[in-house]
Amino acid sequence: VWMTVVYAAVASSLHTALLRPWGYLPSIRQALQSLSSSPRHEDNYLYACTAPDDRILISGPTPFAVAYNTQRGMAGGHLYWSSSWASDPVYAARSLSLLQRQSVPFAVSSGGRALDQFNHYPAIQEYLQSGYVEVPGTGGTILVDAKRPPTRRFGPGNWPCFR
């Protein structure tokens, strides 16, 4: 009886893609091409609306994805805001001083509201609250420098653009 079960299992598996891996090649090629291609820059809001020498204040659990996709430098000296790295008063004051000297049209969070990422940096949070406003429709994940006049508007949301 067990030989019949083994024979039936082997015979039915001969017709599956498991034993014909070359059948996966087109989908593997498509996946690799998709994963290795970069998004079009003209479709990327933060890239299209910032100058090459602008910096972006980036926070959240995946800050490197934002930095990579925007090809803009980080503002404030680091990307580890959500882990409260360098939040002691001396380093936080240095970060705030750096932010105030840099051209930073946007503050962005890759996870949650941008302002919430700075709970351990009260002076920086206050600086953002006093000078930045939420970009409509982003749920607070993108803040824009309210003192900077936009040079144009971007996309269907008519978002402020500085390039």
Side-chain angles (χ1 to χ4, degrees):
V1 171
W2 66 272
M3 286 296 285
T4 307
V5 171
V6 170
Y7 176 77
V10 170
S12 65
S13 69
L14 291 176
H15 300 290
T16 67
L18 181 65
L19 294 177
R20 293 179 292 133
W22 55 88
Y24 289 114
L25 286 178
S27 61
I28 290 172
R29 279 191 196 109
Q30 182 181 10
L32 286 174
Q33 182 179 10
S34 173
L35 290 171
S36 63
S37 64
S38 297
R40 294 172 1 131
H41 289 306
E42 57 270 14
D43 295 336
N44 183 318
Y45 171 54
L46 297 173
Y47 176 87
C49 291
T50 53
D53 58 337
D54 283 338
R55 295 180 178 270
I56 299 174
L57 182 57
I58 306 169
S59 62
T62 56
F64 296 103
V66 176
Y68 175 79
N69 286 317
T70 60
Q71 295 184 355
R72 299 294 182 251
M74 63 180 177
H78 68 86
L79 296 169
Y80 302 108
W81 307 101
S82 62
S83 66
S84 66
W85 186 78
S87 61
D88 63 274
V90 172
Y91 285 103
R94 287 180 188 168
S95 292
L96 177 58
S97 175
L98 187 57
L99 275 172
Q100 292 168 333
R101 293 189 316 266
Q102 295 173 324
S103 174
V104 185
F106 296 102
V108 180
S109 171
S110 63
R113 296 176 42 81
L115 282 175
D116 295 344
Q117 303 294 317
F118 296 93
N119 290 334
H120 296 285
Y121 307 86
I124 293 173
Q125 193 174 51
E126 183 180 319
Y127 172 75
L128 292 172
Q129 286 173 327
S130 68
Y132 286 75
V133 295
E134 181 180 317
V135 173
T138 66
T141 59
I142 302 177
L143 305 176
V144 63
D145 184 349
K147 298 175 294 293
R148 186 184 297 227
T151 57
R152 64 184 177 99
R153 296 289 172 167
F154 183 90
N158 204 30
W159 291 348
C161 202
F162 306 102
R163 179 179 177 191

